[in-house]
């Protein structure tokens, strides 16, 4: 009977304590979102000062600004929960695939040559796949990952933040 060595292809997940250096790194990364909180607040403040703005536009700005604040605050809360818990998941296995969706693209406005093009910018989404499970990651982590390589990724499950990835 043919027996295959599963050790090289099997993905394993175990937990370990988060180091103080990792905690500091994660807090710095998330507090860089502070401008993302301040910009919606500034927009709401400017719109509030304007008497000429239609009420529908004011309500839309309030909704968008408050929504952005709630999303960012929720991400920060989840990160703090992970840090309080003090444990990270270490995922070891073959990086099956990596995807990038979105990002910068050029589209022809009229389709009549390069002088009639406009650039459309959007935020890219980066995904790494271990054992058919998808992990959304930052651009820096995506660039460090090598498809098909035996890798180790340190992941915070609640905040879905990847601390690091390396080839082993």
């Amino acid at each position: 009977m043919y027996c295959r060595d599963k050790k090289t292809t099997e993905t394993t997940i175990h937990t370990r304590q988060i180091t103080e250096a990792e905690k500091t790194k994660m807090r710095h990364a998330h507090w860089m979102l502070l401008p993302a909180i301040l910009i919606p607040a500034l927009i709401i403040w400017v719109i509030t000062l304007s008497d000429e703005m239609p009420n529908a536009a004011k309500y839309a700005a309030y909704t968008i600004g408050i929504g952005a604040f709630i999303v960012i605050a929720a991400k920060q809360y989840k990160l703090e929960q992970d840090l309080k818990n003090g444990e990270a998941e270490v995922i070891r296995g073959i990086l099956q695939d990596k995807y990038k969706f979105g990002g910068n693209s050029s589209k022809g406005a009229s389709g009549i040559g390069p002088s009639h093009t406009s650039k459309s910018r959007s935020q890219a989404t980066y995904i790494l796949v271990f054992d058919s499970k998808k992990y959304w990651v930052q651009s820096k982590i995506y660039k460090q990952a090598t498809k098909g390589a035996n890798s180790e990724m340190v992941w915070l499950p609640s905040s879905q933040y990847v601390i690091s990835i390396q080839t082993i």
Side-chain angles (χ1 to χ4, degrees):
M1 187 169 220
Y2 178 76
C3 183
R4 192 172 162 180
D5 182 15
K6 290 187 177 185
K7 216 174 202 181
T8 58
T9 60
E10 186 176 285
T11 299
T12 62
I13 300 174
H14 70 275
T15 58
R16 70 159 173 81
Q17 290 299 111
I18 302 169
T19 66
E20 288 302 317
E22 289 170 336
K23 287 181 181 181
T24 301
K25 173 186 170 184
M26 290 179 298
R27 283 194 174 111
H28 282 132
H30 266 259
W31 284 114
M32 295 303 290
L33 292 174
L34 188 58
I37 293 173
L38 295 177
I39 291 170
L42 178 65
I43 291 170
I44 290 172
W45 179 69
V46 168
I47 289 174
T48 303
L49 294 177
S50 173
D51 291 333
E52 299 169 11
M53 185 77 65
N55 282 339
K58 286 183 181 182
Y59 295 143
Y62 294 147
T63 303
I64 291 169
I66 291 168
F69 176 80
I70 289 170
V71 167
I72 293 167
K75 288 180 77 62
Q76 187 63 33
Y77 175 78
K78 287 180 179 180
L79 174 66
E80 289 301 323
Q81 290 299 95
D82 274 333
L83 297 179
K84 185 178 178 182
N85 179 23
E87 291 186 346
E89 290 183 354
V90 179
I91 302 157
R92 287 187 180 159
I94 302 295
L95 178 61
Q96 290 176 325
D97 212 344
K98 56 191 273 190
Y99 302 99
K100 176 185 174 189
F101 296 103
N104 295 338
S105 64
S106 296
K107 296 181 181 179
S110 64
I112 308 177
S115 64
H116 298 286
T117 61
S118 66
K119 291 199 175 197
S120 171
R121 298 186 80 118
S122 66
Q123 184 78 16
T125 300
Y126 302 95
I127 299 172
L128 301 180
V129 181
F130 284 91
D131 198 25
S132 300
K133 184 173 180 191
K134 296 177 182 175
Y135 298 89
W136 278 252
V137 299
Q138 296 170 332
S139 170
K140 180 180 174 184
I141 299 293
Y142 180 84
K143 289 175 185 173
Q144 293 173 352
T146 304
K147 182 179 174 180
N150 196 14
S151 302
E152 177 181 275
M153 184 171 75
V154 182
W155 163 264
L156 297 174
S158 180
S159 59
Q160 299 182 354
Y161 183 85
V162 176
I163 297 172
S164 64
I165 190 166
Q166 63 184 9
T167 302
I168 52 173

